[in-house]
Amino acid sequence: MQGIELSRRFYADIVRPWLAQVAPELPHSAALIGYGSELLGLDDEVSRDHNWGPRVHIFLSIDSFNDYARRLVGEFTKVAPSSYLGEPIGWRSRPHAPADGPEAVGAIEHGLEFHTLEAKLEEHFAVRSVENLTSLQWLGFAEQKLLAFTTGAVFHDDDGELQNARERMDYFPDDVWLYKIACQWRRIAEEQAFVGRAGQVGDDLGSRIVAGRLIRDVMRMGFLLERRYAPYAKWLGTSFAKLPISDRLMPHLEQAVLAGEWSKRGNALASAYVELAHRQNELGIANFEPVVGPYHDRPFMTINAEDAVASTAAAIADTRIQKLPILGSLDQVSDLTPLLENASLSQRVVRQLLS
């Protein structure tokens, strides 16, 4: 059984009947969101050695949290079974400690936690409301954290606020999306010729390293064009393979990985860029005519990525986003985990970068 289903049953069989007895008047939402491979449905036997087991997050209003949460956590500790469906409910080998804060509380003895939605948003995104988010705030949200908030599962939602927040964060606003696409083309434009140049001087390892970076850029562009959030590195390839565009890109990317000669490597990548351009044109956004050919007078196959940058940026309607430098969102300029996982630091970095 995968973790989402285990936690769903744990809520239905254990947590909800208990809450109905001890606090029948308490409106709440119940979910499993925030972290864990089970949120993506990708947990397996290996996943069970950490951060895995029956887990439920109960969301309360701020007043209800103050009135009920800490007492209920303590009371559940006294009555909770030691295991559920053969799985221990305690915090075994979990790097993520039980919730503990002004509006979040849990216990090491079990996987039941109480939160306010405001506190979860603050922890996850450095905001306390999803209303009226600015473009800079959106650009400061790591895609892997957006994915963790909008996947997982909601088991119960009395007032609908949790599901409403998840729906509002479901994907980037259109102009933010276009900006990210333009910036992703910029990344490709900056390095696409280096696969050939490094290989030309006999640096095959360097050519392969640049090709690997560009393969990752192509994959992340695939997520953008399919309007899907990209996960953290561990699951990037697995999730990419499920995208509609992956069938068109995978043969070229595999050829680029396996090619023993730099020109074949560069040609395969150029074919992948063309597929991205075709998909972008199919979507009817920022059409441009892809042209593949030598890089100026050098024998390196490249695409007219600068035209893709310009046409995509020109399609942006929001004048505030139009004025931003074509640098990128948070996870387009850094893949450093401590930065991506620190919401307040993420926001400060993007404000400093783009303001």
Side-chain angles (χ1 to χ4, degrees), residues 143-165:
E143 289 197 31
Q144 64 191 49
K145 299 204 77 174
L146 286 161
L147 184 63
F149 184 76
T150 56
T151 54
V154 174
F155 309 139
H156 179 75
D157 196 12
D158 274 325
D159 59 13
E161 289 189 7
L162 176 59
Q163 191 58 34
N164 177 64

Side-chain angles (χ1 to χ4, degrees), residues 122-135:
E122 186 171 18
E123 171 202 3
H124 223 60
F125 300 119
V127 302
R128 286 183 67 85
S129 170
V130 296
E131 304 294 330
N132 302 314
L133 295 173
T134 68
S135 299

Side-chain angles (χ1 to χ4, degrees), residues 259-323:
E261 198 270 326
W262 64 262
S263 63
K264 293 180 180 178
R265 204 172 294 139
N267 291 345
L269 281 166
S271 296
Y273 308 149
V274 171
E275 292 292 350
L276 292 177
H278 288 330
R279 180 60 179 144
Q280 181 165 329
N281 290 341
E282 289 167 6
L283 293 171
I285 55 165
N287 287 8
F288 77 100
E289 184 63 34
V291 178
V292 169
Y295 183 71
H296 301 293
D297 59 350
R298 300 180 180 184
F300 316 138
M301 278 303 118
T302 57
I303 194 171
N304 54 331
E306 293 289 354
D307 292 340
V309 174
S311 60
T312 309
I316 296 171
D318 189 326
T319 56
R320 293 165 297 183
I321 302 179
Q322 288 176 356
K323 294 176 182 178

Side-chain angles (χ1 to χ4, degrees), residues 136-204:
L136 279 181
Q137 285 175 316
W138 273 106
L139 292 169
F141 298 150
E143 289 197 31
Q144 64 191 49
K145 299 204 77 174
L146 286 161
L147 184 63
F149 184 76
T150 56
T151 54
V154 174
F155 309 139
H156 179 75
D157 196 12
D158 274 325
D159 59 13
E161 289 189 7
L162 176 59
Q163 191 58 34
N164 177 64
R166 282 160 52 91
E167 289 173 359
R168 283 182 173 270
M169 305 297 278
D170 187 57
Y171 203 68
F172 300 109
D174 284 350
D175 283 337
V176 172
W177 176 54
L178 290 171
Y179 175 79
K180 285 174 68 79
I181 292 173
C183 292
Q184 197 68 13
W185 278 118
R186 169 67 73 193
R187 288 183 59 90
I188 292 170
E190 294 296 335
E191 295 195 357
Q192 60 175 338
F194 299 164
V195 174
R197 183 58 178 143
Q200 189 184 53
V201 299
D203 180 12
D204 190 62

Side-chain angles (χ1 to χ4, degrees), residues 47-76:
S47 305
R48 300 186 180 198
D49 66 358
H50 73 291
N51 288 352
W52 196 93
R55 301 190 290 126
V56 176
H57 299 160
I58 300 294
F59 292 89
L60 304 177
S61 70
I62 295 174
D63 288 342
S64 293
F65 181 92
N66 291 334
D67 292 341
Y68 287 91
R70 298 189 184 279
R71 173 175 64 82
L72 290 177
V73 164
E75 290 183 6
F76 190 70

Side-chain angles (χ1 to χ4, degrees), residues 16 26 42 66 72 208 268 301:
R16 187 168 185 179
L26 182 63
L42 298 175
N66 291 334
L72 290 177
R208 290 177 184 274
M301 278 303 118

